[in-house]
Amino acid sequence: MTGRVLRIELKRSVAPWPGIVVLGGSLAIFCLYDGLWWRGTAGWTAQWTSMALWTRSLLTFLWPLAVGTGAVYGLREPRSRMAELLTTVPRPAWRRAALPAGAMALALASGFGLLVLVGGVQVALGRTTYTPLDWLPISLVAALALVAGAVFGMGVARALPSVLTPPGLVLFFLMLTALLQQNSDETLPSSIAPNRLAQLLPVTAEPREMLLTLSGSVHLGQTLWLLGLLATGFALLSAVTRRARLLAVIPVLAGAALALLVLPAAARDTYVVDKAAAALVCDGPVCVTQANRSRLPELARRGKEALRVLHEVLGDKAPNAVREDTRLRAIADKREPEPSGDVVLVDFDDRLLADATGEKLTRALIAQGLAPSCYGNNDREGGGRGNLPVQSVAVSWALHDSRLQPLAERGSDAYLRTIWPDADVAWQRLTALSPAEQRSRIAELHTAGLSCTADNQLAVLAGKATR
């Protein structure tokens, strides 16, 4: 009987629409716009954890929307002027409240669940072979946030039956989100509010680091707070007396108090490194993280060839291993150079390495070994794209090319188009030198790259003084 009544409620009310909006609106953002969520190792379909974090970051607008639609749904009885009539029914008030609340919860959970399913299918069909379960709490807390927000909105609208209640709640939760939301650099999260208070917000920062995930204390604290919010909403929805409405605020206050005791006080404890994903898997001198294990066969084959070329060029100063770079960096943060320079660090977010295979991958690895960049050449950092002409000259020389072979299209970037003429000049001056002097210039370039001392590495190749 309960299932039949619930089906009627879903069929004849507006309860399904919030779930449809959650699913359709989210897919429209992800699929119709070319954003950072499509790029890099932390893309929303690249890894399971990043998929969960990207979908949860949409709570920035989905959470206030869920609260507002719940409030609209909660005004159904006051608008129809049936509240007094329904109080005469012998059925308990909490049972009457459970039906609309259950319909709204089912619709929102289903809509968000289908969104996660779409992302999960794409992750499963993609390149990754790393299948952890740590992403599940991220998505489950997001679904709980939507349900709790909607039920809370229904309860507030029942207690304050005004047409201004839904827009007022949406505005309040939007302002709360703007006040508490952390920035998008999760290596050091920050917001206007203290960290514990900011963590009450279920919205996550946009994932930029593949190896980062939310800590267990964040999951627990947010679950306690959201369960309190859900209980308060349901208590307000089923309350029939003023005393019951006043007592209804106890669960949310208790949930918030418990959450503040559990949530991390330090911002750096909010996001933690997924140790299982960061564990290294090696094939000889070439190592990648467990999360990128599927890349190891191709990288090992090409990495060994690149190491051979580097030893021919640099001799004893050449790196003897290739390893995925697992260091966490803030946006546009400068890389700390390896003191010994004996490792070629591979960043799969680097534009040269992201989808490179075969000969292109070999050339990219040689480039990173000969002229390591102080900044990442990716959409997250972007400062290293100016190093491409320098690396192109170095790789072309190391592989004995008859002419300069660019690692990237010359016209792919307006900034690079201004540098390529200097690269042509540096190539001509380098190849005009004697073999010993050429090797000396490349050694100088390698040293400057490791120490990040040269502002213009093309000048090093051309034999000009640098500071």
Side-chain angles (χ1 to χ4, degrees), residues 38-59:
W38 283 116
R39 302 190 182 100
T41 55
W44 91 287
T45 60
Q47 301 285 348
W48 289 98
T49 300
S50 59
M51 180 274 295
L53 289 172
W54 271 114
T55 52
R56 185 160 158 179
S57 69
L58 294 179
L59 292 185

Side-chain angles (χ1 to χ4, degrees), residues 175-223:
M175 293 175 61
L176 185 67
T177 301
L179 178 66
L180 299 182
Q181 188 172 13
Q182 295 177 336
N183 63 28
S184 60
D185 182 15
E186 68 276 1
T187 58
L188 183 57
S190 63
S191 70
I192 298 176
N195 189 66
R196 278 200 175 103
L197 192 61
Q199 288 308 307
L200 293 177
L201 187 71
V203 182
T204 59
E206 297 175 354
R208 300 295 182 92
E209 294 279 1
M210 173 195 65
L211 299 177
L212 287 182
T213 186
L214 287 172
S215 65
S217 58
V218 173
H219 295 319
L220 178 59
Q222 290 181 344
T223 299

Side-chain angles (χ1 to χ4, degrees), residues 79-141:
R79 282 203 316 268
S80 60
R81 299 182 181 181
M82 292 179 58
E84 272 189 48
L85 176 62
L86 291 175
T87 56
T88 63
V89 178
R91 200 174 184 185
W94 70 267
R95 293 191 64 181
R96 294 200 310 271
L99 182 62
M104 178 67 76
L106 181 60
L108 284 170
S110 299
F112 189 78
L114 287 174
L115 171 65
V116 173
L117 179 62
V118 171
V121 169
Q122 294 187 69
V123 174
L125 296 177
R127 176 180 293 182
T128 184
T129 57
Y130 179 62
T131 55
L133 295 178
D134 294 347
W135 65 273
L136 281 173
I138 300 174
S139 295
L140 290 176
V141 171

Side-chain angles (χ1 to χ4, degrees), residues 256-289:
L258 290 174
L260 291 175
L261 293 176
V262 174
L263 291 169
R268 289 189 179 276
D269 295 331
T270 301
Y271 289 85
V272 295
V273 174
D274 186 342
K275 294 181 179 179
L280 291 179
V281 183
C282 300
D283 181 351
V286 182
C287 298
V288 297
T289 61

Side-chain angles (χ1 to χ4, degrees), residues 300-386:
R301 188 163 54 251
R302 299 297 172 177
K304 293 172 185 177
E305 173 64 18
L307 290 175
R308 184 190 63 79
V309 174
L310 290 172
H311 274 280
E312 291 178 356
V313 174
L314 299 175
D316 294 337
K317 295 183 179 181
N320 51 33
V322 176
R323 190 183 74 234
E324 183 178 351
D325 190 355
T326 58
R327 294 170 296 174
L328 304 179
R329 296 181 301 275
I331 297 175
D333 193 17
K334 201 171 186 179
R335 297 175 185 266
E336 290 296 330
E338 288 287 309
S340 62
D342 59 353
V343 176
V344 177
L345 292 176
V346 174
D347 182 1
F348 287 115
D349 282 327
D350 192 306
R351 294 187 184 99
L352 291 180
L353 295 166
D355 299 308
T357 57
E359 185 64 25
K360 287 186 177 180
L361 180 56
T362 304
R363 296 181 74 93
L365 293 173
I366 296 173
Q368 183 60 24
L370 287 177
S373 175
C374 296
Y375 292 92
N377 178 29
N378 53 56
D379 295 304
R380 179 178 175 277
E381 295 172 87
R385 70 187 191 276

